[in-house]
Amino acid sequence: MTSRSFDVDTFLQQPLTARLATNGPTVRPVWFLWEDGAFWVLTGPWTRLFDRVKNDPKVALVVDECDLVTGRVRQAIARGRAELVPFDVPRGRRKLVRYLGVDEALWDARFAGYLYDNPDQRGTMWLRLRPASLKVQDLSYAVVPS
């Protein structure tokens, strides 16, 4: 099976769920923003992810899709060292709009809280992963009608 090339930036702009692996090993689903050549994931001291990355910043992240109806199978696998960087509201809004839509009045209060709570009090941070390696594959196949 050979992989075809595809536009990874367009693929990563979709509101897909990634799986982020840390040392332990621990794997968790995360929402992400792909921007400026990096994956951005919300975190903070209330999560185990925050402490795991502080203790060992080596991570792996997988974003994939598999549609059995169309035969579309694509994936991006990133590896590198995650950084914990200060949270900024504009980037946070861009990330949440991808998954929840533009009308903040329809968002669950938990998500709006990330934008309007004081990040210094709550401790909201970004986990930023600028991949040391990024492997992308299109393993799609033709669906034979039955």
Side-chain angles (χ1 to χ4, degrees):
M1 184 178 294
T2 60
S3 175
R4 295 182 290 273
S5 64
F6 65 99
D7 184 349
V8 68
D9 289 316
T10 300
F11 173 66
L12 294 174
Q13 293 303 319
Q14 297 177 84
L16 299 168
T17 300
R19 266 119 8 247
L20 180 67
T22 57
N23 192 3
T26 301
V27 178
R28 63 192 37 85
V30 294
W31 287 351
F32 68 93
L33 181 66
W34 171 250
E35 194 171 85
D36 300 329
F39 292 94
W40 299 81
V41 176
L42 274 170
T43 191
W46 65 89
T47 69
R48 289 186 184 156
L49 174 62
F50 182 83
D51 289 329
R52 286 190 181 275
V53 169
K54 278 177 49 179
N55 293 332
D56 185 351
K58 292 180 296 206
V59 300
L61 183 139
V62 174
V63 181
D64 61 355
E65 65 178 347
C66 178
D67 187 328
L68 301 177
V69 173
T70 65
R72 187 168 52 196
V73 179
R74 298 186 298 181
Q75 62 184 13
I77 303 169
R79 290 184 172 83
R81 298 178 68 81
E83 305 170 84
L84 296 171
V85 298
F87 179 77
D88 63 288
V89 171
R91 189 181 315 270
R93 182 172 286 110
R94 289 191 299 275
K95 177 193 170 227
L96 292 173
V97 162
R98 289 172 46 125
Y99 292 95
L100 303 171
V102 295
D103 189 350
E104 291 180 32
L106 300 176
W107 294 5
D108 183 294
R110 294 175 295 166
F111 300 112
Y114 290 117
L115 298 181
Y116 300 112
D117 290 348
N118 182 337
D120 294 331
Q121 290 177 344
R122 184 177 181 140
T124 305
M125 300 281 292
W126 285 115
L127 177 153
R128 178 177 62 197
L129 171 59
R130 291 191 190 279
S133 70
L134 180 63
K135 180 178 179 181
V136 297
Q137 295 185 82
D138 184 335
L139 303 170
S140 299
Y141 57 90
V143 176
V144 179
S146 50

